Amino acid sequence: MTSKVASNGPSKHRRAALRQAEGDLGFSVSNFFPIERYYTAADKVLQSFNKAFEEKRLDDAYVLGLRFATFSIESLPQHDYYRASRYAPLKRRNEQNVTSVISRLEQVTMWMDTEEAEKERLRQEYQRQVEAQRQKLQEAKVRKLQQLEEARYKQLQERIEQQRKKSQRGTTQNVEQSAMSKLQLLSSQNGSTSSEHLSSHMSDMNIGSDQRNCKSMSSLNTPSINGELETSERGSTSRRSRWQQQEEAGSIDAPGSHLGGDSDDVLPPPIPPPSLDITPPPPSYNQVVAEHGGLVQPANRRHSSDSMPSVQRTVSAPAGGAIIRSDSSDLISFPEAPDEEILPPPPPYSFFDRDSNRMKTKLIEPVKKVRLPIRKMQEQATAEFSRLKQQKKIEVFGLGTYQGRNRNSTNGCTVISPLVVSRHLNSPGSVSDDAIVHVIDKQCPPLLRDIRQKLELEGDALIIPSDVHDYLVDHKILHQEKFSGACGGNILDEEHIGEFLRLLEGGETGNASMKKTGAAFFFHEHVVSIVKVPLGQGRFAYDMVDSMPRLVDAYNSSKMMASRTRCYSLDAFAVLMKWYACGKFSSSNCTYIDRNDWQEMMADLDPRVFQAFVWTE
């Protein structure tokens, strides 16, 4: 990548976010697939990039261009056929496309910088507008407060002015009242005789009224009330004496003068004594229960006023502690025990189905199956494999050698696996351990060298399985008439791996259930041999022969060597296959699997892909 593509321009954060969303762009390629298929996949990405570039869909163009360039520069050279002379034209064309894509990526980056600069300008302009609007609102708020303060001050001034005018009017009235008082004083001196006569007449009336009230109160035999009446009489006499003294001194006007000289109502009538008709309080809840024999139905919280008992309301008297009965028709219910809170019944089903197609669709929508995380699947597969080993349903045996022990057998699994299958189909029973050791150390190296030379491959290049099969068929090591079929797909998919198990058990037509079969199983840059071993009485075992070295307990010690794992049932073999597959996934593979569903069009780049070629005797 050039410095412009990786520049720190205005769009650097945008491009960083796109790269982060894209994740790891380093796709792995498998030598088990022809390199032409990878060149074809790269060309499809290139077409998508060119279309996005022409339509100026900058984000899509940036991601697609980066994906194509990274795959072509980093991933494709990992294929062992990349430098083969027969694929040189494809290699040169891909390199030219990479140069063109990088140039266009520079243009995409410039366009992104321009867009982000314009966005930044618009953002700053928007911020300025927002700040100006905020300042305008603040100024309007200040003006509003000033207007309110001015209005408040004006009202205060008006109130002060009104009070001043009122005070002036009150002064004038006081002067007039003072003059009137002097006039009345002069008049009172001339008519003092009539005033004294009127005062004496009023005193007699008050004494007669008090005596009549005392006679009416004496008819009551209640001592406390009599005492109160005596106190009241003494208080009345005391008040009358003070009144007469003030009147004689001339400090107050004559009683009733404000009503006119002809009024007979000099004093208000006395307050009548409180009634002694005391209404008993309503019965308590316990009394009501006792009267009904302990069987009282709880009152309905929503009963009508007709069903409630009518009780006269009682209030306390203002004095004396007496209770006065009210004639009000207010209704008071007896206290009742609190009922338990009753929840409303659930709505009917029709409530959820009220002509709503969306709700109906949700009710019949199938539940999406939750996929088990691959790391959890690894734990479960390991536990199940260990359990079957303890039960002796799976056994692991070590072989005396492994591929790579002889320098010329390195990366020879694509040749070793079909050779082991050929030996198994041509043997009277099952391929022996010695025969497998001979294949790895003796038979494989010369064949591997010849095939690499024919294909113009360098060094220890891994050979595509189809090229090995073609070579072995041409040299009569494998026979085409014994080929039963091929299958492949997602090794973690029970349907895909089940197809392989059915092909291994009964052949393509299902008529090989009592025959020996063998398969070259390609998965994760490695090939193992699967052979169906007869055990007698119609029983078969399934062996996995792995030429790669692994730690195996053999010869009373643990050594690195090839292995032969035997499963005594097809179900146990299925457990072995899952354990084998889960053990091959790296951490990045697990992340990819958890994030991506299986897609047939992406099978060549998916770490779950497998292939199997099955042969029958």
Side-chain angles (χ1 to χ4, degrees), residues 413-414 417-418 421 465 469 500 518-522 527-530 611-615:
C413 59
T414 54
S417 179
V421 171
H469 280 195
F500 166 65
F521 190 86
F522 309 91
V527 188
V528 296
S529 303
I530 308 296
Q611 277 187 332
F613 295 88
V614 182
W615 307 78

Side-chain angles (χ1 to χ4, degrees), residues 31 46 61 97 99 119 130 148 167 176 213-214 238-239 265 324 327 486 488 511 540 566 583 594 604 614:
N31 290 294
L46 177 62
N97 291 334
T99 303
K119 289 180 182 179
V130 170
L148 292 175
S167 177
E176 294 176 355
N213 291 336
C214 291
S238 175
R239 287 193 300 270
D265 297 333
I324 302 176
D327 293 334
N511 58 0
F540 289 88
R566 172 161 295 184
D594 288 337
D604 295 351
V614 182

Side-chain angles (χ1 to χ4, degrees), residues 180-181 184-185 188 195-196 198-199 202 242-260 266-267:
M180 183 62 67
S181 299
Q184 290 178 355
L185 180 60
S188 62
S195 175
E196 292 176 357
L198 177 62
S199 176
M202 292 300 298
R242 287 196 302 271
W243 191 306
Q244 291 177 356
Q245 294 175 1
Q246 293 175 1
E247 182 182 4
E248 293 174 356
S251 59
I252 60 172
D253 295 336
S257 61
H258 62 285
L259 299 175
V266 179
L267 292 176

